[in-house]
Amino acid sequence: MTKVAIIGAGPAGLATARWLKREGFEPVLYEQGNTLGGQWSADPRYSGIWPTMHTNTCREMTQFSDLRHEAGTPLYPAHNTMLNYLTNYAERFDLPSRIRLRTRVTRLAQHSGDGWTVSSASLDGTEIAETYPYVVVASGRFNQPKFPDVPGLYTFSGPCGVAHTFQYKNPESYRDRRVLIAGCAVSALEIACDCAMSGAARVVTASRRQRYIMQKIVSGVPVEYFVQTRHAATAQQTSAKTAAVDLKNFIVKTSGSPEMFGALKPSDDLIRAGVTQCQYYLPLVSEGRICARPWITAVTGQTVTFADGTSEDFDGLIFGTGFEINLPFLADEVRQHLDVGGQRLDLYDFTFHPDFPGLAFAGFFQVGGPYFPPIELQARWIAYAWSGARPLPSRQIMQAGLSQNVSQVADKHHMPSLTMLFARAAGVVPDLELWPELGDALLHGPLTPISFRLDGRDSLIDASSLVLEAAYRVPSWQGIHHGLVSGAASSTHLR
């Protein structure tokens, strides 16, 4: 069996190991933490999990196709439930014995012959260098906090100090305190809600641009059932501008527009404004438990000044302003070819580079929505490509793709489109003509991982029944779906 080094034992690393093993490879996973799970490990050194955190995507979209959540799992599982799920997934495919815990990769470089040299250091200080024909980098996209350039930020003298959402571990420290959360992405808004509901004296959010806020549940149905669909991918490919207008209409119809609740007014252009998914933020703004302000212009001591000219004193500042790509182990020649810097990483379709055969990256993308479906499909593509089950794109094709994908990792990508991209690469897009009884579920239902086990390599006999079960698990989904389509949101995005 050919060995493959996988750097990281989070969801992307585990999924890649599972599928490489299925293709006859022998995966060896390097994990610097004390346990598997990546972000879901809750290891404060490497994880941005906070104590009350739950998934922001529904249960059916936050699992892999080989393993469902246990019966009785809430629709939005807690972080410890997710860790248990990933542990069970690893055990199902005999992965724990292949994981080297508390082992940090210190350098990844091309071997003088063929393959790659992986240098690592264990907790006791032992350092070794090993050569592999294949390496997958799955070390995580969200572990190096990024702070904005705010005049006077480091003069802040509030007792709770300045932190990043990645460092938010103790909500109690903000009880009875005045806290400002800067940013409008999901972690910033979720933490603002957590502070407001955990006893903070005052909670204020500040954003450079107000995003549209899409609630997680629409009339009792997970929002992914409406927007993370194959039809949405087709609409995006046909006209991104029209798809954005349609999505905006859907959000305003089902979740309202932020200014209706007392938040800031977003741009009429949804592409410019952006979208965040959060259940409680706008209701808490409407109750006055969270106050929305424009961006920060200056900090002096405990006083923060905003773009509208107002000022306010705070005890703590929390920034939810994104992450830098953190790949300190890459050799200089690799780093230069990949043009690593800040939020940039040049790859062909987020995965390969024509100059580095035998090297792949897994999970280094940002999407608005669930990560598990594209993660699993990318893992299958890597495994199929290296086993020869699917042909790798030619060097010319990959080189041409690089010129079209500049800064692709820095952008937040359309989840349905990215999922379909990986599914096509892996050769597992279900043929709608072969599954007429699944037409509505496959086209308008959620892009669950199990829906990509119908056709192609590794199809499952019971996949069709599981697809129907997942799509119709919420009995009211189809009726609400068609009701929205026939109403104000009757758009090409939803039809």
Side-chain angles (χ1 to χ4, degrees), residues 7 83 184 204 206 277 295 352 375 478:
I7 304 173
L83 178 57
C184 202
V204 176
Q277 191 168 308
W295 191 240
F352 300 110
I375 279 175
Q478 190 176 29

Side-chain angles (χ1 to χ4, degrees), residues 38-216:
Q39 290 285 354
W40 298 108
S41 71
D43 186 322
R45 297 169 297 172
Y46 312 119
S47 164
I49 297 298
W50 58 90
T52 58
M53 182 175 170
H54 287 65
T55 65
N56 199 48
T57 54
C58 71
R59 179 183 54 219
E60 280 70 29
M61 300 291 277
T62 318
Q63 63 185 15
F64 295 128
S65 63
D66 290 302
L67 182 65
R68 296 162 61 176
H69 283 283
E70 295 179 358
T73 298
L75 187 56
Y76 293 92
H79 66 84
N80 54 350
T81 301
M82 287 304 305
L83 178 57
N84 290 337
Y85 173 84
L86 292 172
T87 300
N88 292 337
Y89 180 82
E91 291 173 350
R92 181 184 182 94
F93 297 105
D94 189 30
L95 299 180
S97 63
R98 303 169 185 272
I99 303 174
R100 300 180 184 179
L101 297 174
R102 296 176 289 279
T103 302
R104 180 173 56 89
V105 172
T106 57
R107 191 169 189 268
L108 173 63
Q110 282 188 298
H111 186 59
S112 56
D114 291 330
W116 296 85
T117 298
V118 179
S119 302
S120 63
S122 58
L123 193 63
D124 63 6
T126 302
E127 297 186 13
I128 60 172
E130 299 164 280
T131 301
Y132 295 87
Y134 299 99
V135 174
V136 179
V137 179
S139 53
R141 175 67 182 79
F142 307 103
N143 51 40
Q144 181 65 45
K146 178 184 178 183
F147 287 89
D149 184 13
V150 175
L153 177 59
Y154 297 103
T155 71
F156 181 71
S157 58
C160 296
V162 177
H164 192 275
T165 53
F166 187 82
Q167 301 159 325
Y168 178 75
K169 310 297 182 188
N170 182 17
E172 276 296 312
S173 65
Y174 295 96
R175 180 180 290 276
D176 299 322
R177 300 288 192 174
R178 301 161 297 176
V179 57
L180 170 66
I181 297 95
C184 202
V186 59
S187 292
L189 299 192
E190 292 277 0
I191 288 173
C193 295
D194 196 49
C195 287
M197 294 188 288
S198 298
R202 180 165 170 76
V203 178
V204 176
T205 58
S207 56
R208 294 186 182 92
R209 53 187 171 90
Q210 175 66 60
R211 300 187 186 190
Y212 287 89
I213 311 298
M214 184 167 59
Q215 292 189 315
K216 297 195 294 188

Side-chain angles (χ1 to χ4, degrees), residues 349-488:
D349 284 346
F350 311 90
T351 309
F352 300 110
H353 193 284
D355 293 335
F356 297 124
L359 178 66
F361 289 75
F364 277 84
F365 47 77
Q366 295 191 80
V367 295
Y371 273 79
F372 276 55
I375 279 175
E376 178 171 289
L377 288 163
Q378 186 184 36
R380 293 175 70 182
W381 179 29
I382 292 169
Y384 295 165
W386 283 350
S387 72
R390 293 286 293 176
L392 263 172
S394 68
R395 176 179 174 80
Q396 290 74 19
I397 290 175
M398 284 199 279
Q399 197 67 51
L402 287 179
S403 64
Q404 299 172 8
N405 295 334
V406 175
S407 301
Q408 59 179 338
V409 175
D411 301 325
K412 181 172 285 189
H413 289 264
H414 190 241
M415 180 270 181
S417 299
L418 188 64
T419 298
M420 293 301 294
L421 182 151
F422 289 144
R424 285 191 293 271
V428 295
V429 175
D431 187 337
L432 297 179
E433 293 185 1
L434 296 179
W435 302 98
E437 72 278 17
L438 302 180
D440 199 39
L442 290 176
L443 191 58
H444 299 292
L447 285 169
T448 53
I450 193 63
S451 65
F452 297 98
R453 303 295 295 274
L454 289 163
D455 295 332
R457 196 171 180 83
D458 293 301
S459 59
L460 297 175
I461 294 176
D462 60 346
S464 59
S465 61
L466 293 173
V467 168
L468 283 175
E469 182 183 345
Y472 293 96
R473 185 160 295 170
V474 181
S476 57
W477 164 70
Q478 190 176 29
I480 296 172
H481 166 77
H482 290 300
L484 288 171
V485 169
S486 62

Side-chain angles (χ1 to χ4, degrees), residues 219-269:
S219 298
V221 180
V223 75
E224 292 96 339
Y225 280 57
F226 303 106
V227 301
Q228 311 292 3
T229 68
R230 181 168 175 173
H231 185 81
T234 302
Q236 178 78 6
Q237 185 176 14
T238 302
S239 172
K241 185 175 181 180
T242 299
V245 171
D246 296 339
L247 179 57
K248 174 190 165 185
N249 290 340
F250 172 79
I251 294 172
V252 172
K253 178 182 172 73
T254 58
S255 300
S257 191
E259 76 275 9
M260 299 165 63
F261 295 80
L264 305 177
K265 187 180 188 310
S267 168
D268 289 335
D269 182 353

